[in-house]
Amino acid sequence: MSDTNAIGLHPASASQLADKLNALLANYQVFYMNVRGYHWNIKGPEFFELHAKFEEFYTDLLTKVDEVAERILTLGHQPIHAYSDYVATASLKEDKNVHDGATCVRGVLTGYQTLIELQREILSLASDADDEGTAAQVGDYIREQEKTVWMLGAYLG
């Protein structure tokens, strides 16, 4: 067992997974702040409905930020934790000065689609590394978020 880490994974695999999870963490953090901004700045006839929905989304995203960071630690690595690193690492960009309902919903939809794509990459790596913990975590996220993508698409018509 000397060629594995504390949870029985090969160090090279754990390192590769931690790097991908740090990229995921960065995207979750940028997405979280985008959705907070939508929540704060939404205007128009859908204000009450979307204000509440965005709060639901960002609360869930914040939980997942913590879970992803803790998974990186479980793999024996350090999660990035500076916002400048998140912005530099994330493929999602900051969404500024958005207040129109449809534009905000499209931003949420794009965010979830980006997360799903990254999580599928991680799922594949985790499966190859026999990392059931990471695979189960991101698999659950994918399942939840695919339904949300469908609902957001239906909302946009």
Side-chain angles (χ1 to χ4, degrees), residues 20-29 68 115 118-119 122 138:
K20 285 288 193 182
L21 286 166
N22 265 316
L24 181 64
L25 177 63
N27 279 281
Y28 265 105
Q29 287 283 39
V68 170
L115 294 178
L118 289 167
Q119 289 163 164
I122 293 166
V138 298

Side-chain angles (χ1 to χ4, degrees), residues 12-129:
S13 295
S15 180
Q16 185 180 24
L17 282 160
D19 288 345
K20 285 288 193 182
L21 286 166
N22 265 316
L24 181 64
L25 177 63
N27 279 281
Y28 265 105
Q29 287 283 39
V30 170
F31 186 35
Y32 166 79
M33 285 308 302
N34 285 348
V35 177
R36 282 302 293 247
Y38 304 152
H39 170 77
W40 291 330
N41 294 303
I42 186 73
K43 291 180 174 43
E46 300 129 339
F47 170 83
F48 289 105
E49 175 186 2
L50 291 176
H51 182 77
K53 184 50 88 173
F54 295 150
E55 183 173 3
E56 178 185 320
F57 289 151
Y58 76 67
T59 299
D60 180 65
L61 291 168
L62 186 57
T63 298
K64 286 179 172 56
V65 162
D66 192 53
E67 292 171 351
V68 170
E70 288 175 351
R71 187 64 196 168
I72 295 165
L73 290 163
T74 300
L75 291 170
H77 293 269
Q78 183 174 353
I80 58 176
H81 58 275
Y83 203 77
S84 57
D85 290 334
Y86 298 143
V87 171
T89 303
S91 54
L92 282 172
K93 300 303 174 207
E94 295 173 306
D95 207 355
K96 300 177 185 178
N97 301 317
V98 177
H99 55 82
D100 169 69
T103 304
C104 292
V105 172
R106 280 192 293 278
V108 173
L109 180 60
T110 298
Y112 279 119
Q113 289 168 329
T114 300
L115 294 178
I116 290 168
E117 181 180 335
L118 289 167
Q119 289 163 164
R120 284 193 177 122
E121 291 175 22
I122 293 166
L123 181 61
S124 179
L125 285 173
S127 296
D128 291 346

